[in-house]
Amino acid sequence: MQIENNMIRRRQKRLVPPKRAISVAFATSLAHDGGKFLPVAARPVPKDDNAPPNTLNQLVTTFDSDRSLAGFMFDVKAKQPIAIHSMDINAVKTSQDVRIEVWTKQGSFEGDEQREDAWTLWANDTIIGNGLDVPTAIPPEIVVPINVSPNERRAFYISFPDGAYLRYSTNANGELDYTNADLILYSNGAAKRKGFEGNAIAPRLFSGALHY
């Protein structure tokens, strides 16, 4: 496993639902395809005021990774009105809960890679990594769904404050964006060391899936 270095910076800002410890249950269906595991269905979620439909749509990039670091930034753009409920990431296997943060902002991440004040904290909780190149869920019950309007561009920053647990791919090419009838996930993302300090490493490809 190759790691593209490490540093840390912390500053408290909490704009998400109250933090609570969770025990993550993973029920994403998997299909084996030439040595790769790909998610084929999103799991149902408990009913509450923000509950998504029983079956969510999804856009998957790849679960074929070749690098690890503590954070990753990427952009999406909606073609139709959508609400993003959760995501799957590619995380190394962990023996215990590790803290994860997911930040978001309107517009592209480019130009705001080092500006924490430009971002809103969307998820702040703990998860257990499922292991190399299989989905690890960020459950919808720990976030508030994000509504995205047609032609709106939105950025996400996934960050593990305590280690280089996040997997991604160096096989990034702006001509190989991931798209379906509802949205585009741009392939020219950026890997980050811990926090918002330090330069982004780009272009890099997000390894994971969005559920909406």
Side-chain angles (χ1 to χ4, degrees), residues 83-176:
I84 297 174
H85 288 272
S86 63
M87 64 175 66
D88 293 337
I89 61 172
N90 191 345
V92 301
K93 189 171 183 62
T94 61
S95 59
Q96 59 186 6
D97 286 346
V98 292
R99 191 156 61 90
I100 187 171
E101 298 174 350
V102 184
W103 302 74
T104 188
K105 66 180 292 291
Q106 286 188 313
S108 177
F109 71 85
E110 294 183 281
D112 289 325
E113 295 94 332
Q114 299 175 323
R115 292 188 57 215
E116 183 177 327
D117 61 351
W119 297 77
T120 297
L121 189 59
W122 186 45
N124 177 31
D125 219 300
T126 59
I127 63 173
I128 296 177
N130 272 357
L132 178 66
D133 291 344
V134 297
T136 294
I138 297 176
E141 58 263 31
I142 71 170
V143 298
V144 175
I146 297 174
N147 293 317
V148 187
S149 301
N151 296 316
E152 178 184 345
R153 192 159 179 147
R154 177 164 285 274
F156 290 91
Y157 175 30
I158 304 158
S159 176
F160 283 99
D162 301 319
Y165 301 119
L166 190 64
R167 298 288 296 177
Y168 60 93
S169 175
T170 57
N171 186 24
N173 186 322
E175 297 179 357
L176 298 176

Side-chain angles (χ1 to χ4, degrees), residues 57-59 76-82 148-152 178-185 212:
N57 296 312
Q58 66 176 353
L59 179 61
V76 301
K77 185 170 77 171
K79 297 180 180 180
Q80 310 288 341
I82 62 170
V148 187
S149 301
N151 296 316
E152 178 184 345
Y178 288 80
T179 184
N180 61 20
D182 301 314
L183 75 160
I184 303 168
L185 194 155
Y212 64 93

Side-chain angles (χ1 to χ4, degrees), residues 9-77:
R9 173 178 177 266
R10 299 296 312 131
R11 181 159 72 85
Q12 296 296 320
K13 183 171 84 170
R14 295 294 177 264
L15 300 176
V16 294
K19 184 176 184 295
R20 60 175 187 257
I22 61 170
S23 176
V24 178
F26 301 99
T28 302
S29 299
L30 301 176
H32 189 271
D33 178 18
K36 303 175 186 177
F37 285 90
L38 304 176
V40 296
R43 64 185 179 84
V45 298
K47 291 185 178 180
D48 58 33
D49 291 341
N50 294 313
N54 286 335
T55 301
L56 292 171
N57 296 312
Q58 66 176 353
L59 179 61
V60 183
T61 62
T62 178
F63 282 91
D64 184 14
S65 64
D66 58 8
R67 292 289 189 278
S68 295
L69 208 58
F72 199 90
M73 295 179 173
F74 66 94
D75 290 348
V76 301
K77 185 170 77 171

